[in-house]
Amino acid sequence: MATLSLLSKSYYIVFVLSLSFIGSFPCLDDQREALLEFKDLLFGELMADNSTDMFLGGLETWNSSSECCQWALVECNSQQVTGLKLYSVFPTLGKTSTVLAPIFRIKTLMSLDISYNSIQGEIPGIGLRNLSELVYLDMRGNSFNGSIPLQLFHLANLEFLDLSDNMIEAVLPNEVVGLKSLKQLSLDANFIHGELPEEIGNLIELKKFTVPDNQISGRIPLSILQLRKLEVLNLQNNSFSLEIPADIGSLVNLTTLDLSKNRLSGEIPSSIQKMRKLETLQLENNMLSGEIPTWLFVLKEMKKLHLGGNKLAWNNNLAIKPKCKLSSLSLRSCSVKGQIPSWISNQTDLIYLDLSENDLEGDFPQWLAERNLGTIILSDNKLTGSLPSQLFQSRNLSVLALSRNNFFGELPEINTTSIMVLLLSENNFSGPLPKSISNIHRMLLLDLSKNSFSGNEFPAFGPDSLIAFVDVSYNNFSGKFLRISDSLR
């Protein structure tokens, strides 16, 4: 046993020494020269005019007298540079994509993050194809334009690709299926148009597919159902049409399904109830129809459910007992009638509630006033009564929209400074405005129009106020009225 123990210690010492020896390897000369050339292209003129001690976002550690594997933002494996973390290093320099040319000579790169640097010009496809070992490529938050170069889709080892928040105009090509190892593809907020190719279903390793805020049209391809490892599917704000694939529930690993702001029609597929891991379901602002299924509230992991802005109908005769704990709920324009459904009062994690454009009646619920939600939107209903004073004691309330109801009475004193948007137009509120309203320094929008407010003194917002829009027209104010612009001086 003693011999074995000594042997183990010996192996441990050799192992540690081996690691130390590996870590002490000098980096390859051509890779160090490439990085120094890249630094010079970025900051050469600045360094010539200023002190050499100036801060360069970490690149000040890059110099010819030290090993590049010891520099900030650089990752190495033995002598080879394998990663560059250049996130937001040079966003104010306005460089074009040609500045990346020296980096493309480092063919051992496996990870490259050049996000949020305001790089202009076309995506350098030829240069990127040289980086055949790339596993991770993050190019989001730049000013790349043109199309997506086909060379990108020949990087056989790529698992992560993010081109979001650029100005790319392109049709998503069939060649995308060349990325057989891809696990995350993000093309948010570009100008991608055309249809999704059926070949998208060949990316069987994909876990995250996000292409929101583009111009993609046509139907959701049935081949997308082959992406069984998918955890996030975000097609929001495009022009997808026809029905949601009936068997979309076969994507049982989905935690987020966002199909909002499209032109989708038909009913909510019953197969979605198979998605036991689903946390976020956003289907709002489509042309979906039919009855809202109660099984949605049986999905225990559901936290965010947005169904508003469709032709969906709530069954007001059903009493439901949700098994989920929602944090965000939108049933806007879903034919919800009568009082605000009592089951919502049991959703103690709720921070966002939109029940606008329905046929709700009755008073503003006391439980809702005491719940400390961040956003309450109940506009365009038939609610009545006065507002509970507790509503304006909340430390979390930032948006309160109650326009076009039948509320009446005076506004309670407002003892919160968190409200940013207060919309109370077209009700029957009366009496003077509480002076405390001017203490809400975060207020951006205030609409009190078409009520019966009165008085000859309007609360003056101070010079530190963020107020951008105020409408108090069609009320019963009298006397000298202080202009908003005066109160903000």
Side-chain angles (χ1 to χ4, degrees), residues 227-447:
L227 307 181
R228 298 302 176 91
K229 295 183 180 181
L230 209 58
E231 297 173 0
V232 175
L233 177 59
N234 186 348
L235 308 180
Q236 180 256 144
N237 197 18
N238 279 283
S239 298
F240 288 102
S241 58
L242 302 178
E243 297 182 351
I244 301 171
D247 292 328
I248 197 166
S250 62
L251 302 177
V252 294
N253 287 307
L254 276 186
T255 60
T256 296
L257 176 59
D258 190 345
L259 305 177
S260 58
K261 298 181 182 178
N262 280 285
R263 300 172 183 172
L264 297 168
S265 57
E267 297 185 353
I268 297 175
S270 61
S271 65
I272 289 178
Q273 59 191 304
K274 298 177 183 178
M275 297 179 177
R276 299 299 180 183
K277 299 180 181 179
L278 197 62
E279 298 178 4
T280 297
L281 179 61
Q282 297 201 159
L283 303 176
E284 60 188 348
N285 295 332
N286 279 285
M287 295 183 287
L288 300 175
S289 58
E291 188 174 299
I292 296 173
T294 57
W295 50 255
L296 284 172
F297 302 91
V298 180
L299 298 174
K300 293 182 179 180
E301 301 301 320
M302 186 77 76
K303 295 179 175 62
K304 187 173 185 178
L305 180 61
H306 285 205
L307 304 175
N310 285 286
K311 301 175 183 178
L312 295 167
W314 179 258
N315 189 331
N316 296 277
N317 298 318
L318 291 179
I320 67 169
K321 295 182 179 180
K323 294 184 179 180
C324 53
K325 286 290 185 181
L326 297 173
S327 60
S328 183
L329 173 65
S330 171
L331 295 177
R332 174 172 58 88
S333 185
C334 287
S335 301
V336 185
K337 298 180 180 180
Q339 296 187 340
I340 294 177
S342 59
W343 61 265
I344 297 179
S345 65
N346 297 321
Q347 296 296 307
T348 54
D349 294 341
L350 205 61
I351 57 175
Y352 178 99
L353 178 63
D354 185 354
L355 298 177
S356 60
E357 300 177 30
N358 282 295
D359 292 309
L360 295 173
E361 301 174 343
D363 296 340
F364 192 104
Q366 187 69 31
W367 61 263
L368 183 55
E370 297 173 352
R371 189 51 59 81
N372 279 329
L373 273 70
T375 296
I376 300 175
I377 305 175
L378 300 175
S379 302
D380 297 287
N381 280 287
K382 301 174 183 176
L383 295 167
T384 188
S386 57
L387 297 182
S389 59
Q390 290 88 344
L391 181 60
F392 296 98
Q393 315 296 319
S394 172
R395 296 180 180 181
N396 299 320
L397 188 63
S398 60
V399 176
L400 179 62
L402 305 177
S403 297
R404 294 172 294 281
N405 277 284
N406 298 316
F407 291 114
F408 57 79
E410 297 186 7
L411 285 187
E413 285 296 323
I414 300 176
N415 295 319
T416 179
T417 58
S418 62
I419 297 180
M420 301 178 69
V421 177
L422 181 58
L423 307 177
L424 305 178
S425 65
E426 297 186 52
N427 281 283
N428 297 308
F429 292 113
S430 59
L433 295 180
K435 293 183 178 180
S436 53
I437 202 169
S438 62
N439 296 329
I440 310 176
H441 302 301
R442 297 179 62 201
M443 181 85 77
L444 296 173
L445 304 178
L446 176 62
D447 188 354

Side-chain angles (χ1 to χ4, degrees), residues 118-165:
S118 300
I119 303 173
Q120 303 169 11
E122 295 188 355
I123 297 174
I126 295 176
L128 284 168
R129 188 171 185 177
N130 288 336
L131 306 181
S132 59
E133 300 299 316
L134 270 185
V135 174
Y136 180 101
L137 178 57
D138 192 343
M139 304 175 70
R140 60 187 159 153
N142 285 290
S143 297
F144 288 116
N145 55 39
S147 60
I148 303 173
L150 296 182
Q151 291 91 341
L152 272 184
F153 303 114
H154 294 279
L155 299 175
N157 297 306
L158 203 61
E159 296 182 3
F160 177 102
L161 175 59
D162 195 335
L163 298 174
S164 57
D165 299 321

